[in-house]
Amino acid sequence: MSPDDLGFDPFDDRLGNELRAVAPSAPKADQALGELRPRFARARQRRRAAVAGAWGLAGAGALALGLVFVGSGATNRIDTPPASQPDRGTTTTPKNDVPTSTDPTAVVPGTDPDGTTVTTDDHGGNQGSGADEPDSDNGDGGSGSGSGGDDD
Amino acid sequence: MIPSRTGDDDFDDLFRATFEPMVRSLALACGDREAAADAVQDAFIRAYARWRRIGAYDDPAGWVRHVALNRLRDHFRKAERGRRAVERLGGREAIATVPAPADPSDVLVHVGELPQQQRIAVSLFYVEQLSVIEIATSMGLSEGAVKYHLHAGREHLRASLESP
């Protein structure tokens, strides 16, 4: 008996002797071993069958998984034509198919043909401060408040 | 500790060396020799089926004992459930029995009074004469917990056996 560090004393020897004396007897090991042999063999067979079944199941699962991957790869493939095909030419279209006016006499609103800027008098209705027409006298001064816009 | 190998002869050696003391200690712990023998046999059968792996362990006997203890716990859990069911159906008075007066010198009676963990620890230590480490492996507890259970069980038995 290993006392370890439990602080054993003579009481423990007495207790151990008493317990070993009163402990129920057990079947003889050799006899029990002989009786258990068939159960041992059956247990090992069952165990091997279970392990083989589990491996088979795992293999089938892996195979199925592989097939799923292969199948999904085929359906998701994108077919692209070869980079150069002899019968396929490149056509270009002119970009300026939107007609634009090039008439020099055309007047762009807000510009005089001689190039000067034309402003229309809004009689002070413009929101401007009047800086463009310092001599304007028909508005309400340079305030440009917009309140006189309806003088006409 | 029995040296571990993986051949069938080694399994037989382990069985011959540990079967009897294991059954005796577990029978003392649970108070039922047949249940203890069945549990140990079942554990050895499981070990035999997996012997290539179990035989390579440092302490294959500890594994067998651990499995046997689990089997015993299951056995008594089921028995306890059955007893409670009978009590619910028949009423406590119908099955109540008057316990026989305990012989104060009967160590078995005092071992039976211990809590389950203390009973198992005391049985494995004194009957099978295992070390604290081996008991800890078998019971799935820490060494400190085993020492606690051993100490508490021993003090209870000392008080019971040395009282006049």
Side-chain angles (χ1 to χ4, degrees), chain B residues 35-108:
Chain B
D38 285 346
V40 174
Q41 286 177 4
D42 282 349
F44 269 109
I45 287 170
R46 286 172 62 93
Y48 186 83
R50 300 159 175 79
W51 185 243
R52 201 187 309 176
R53 180 165 58 87
I54 305 300
Y57 286 175
D58 289 338
D59 184 13
W63 186 91
V64 172
R65 199 178 294 107
H66 184 74
V67 172
L69 278 171
N70 284 340
R71 294 269 167 157
L72 265 187
R73 288 194 186 102
D74 290 345
H75 171 82
F76 285 106
R77 205 174 290 133
K78 285 177 188 168
E80 180 65 15
R81 276 203 296 267
R83 191 183 64 77
R84 285 180 186 163
V86 169
E87 279 182 5
R88 279 197 302 272
L89 289 172
R92 289 175 186 274
E93 293 79 9
I95 61 166
T97 56
V98 179
D103 179 0
S105 65
D106 190 351
V107 68
L108 276 179

Side-chain angles (χ1 to χ4, degrees), chain A residues 51-62:
Chain A
V51 169
W55 276 109
L57 206 62

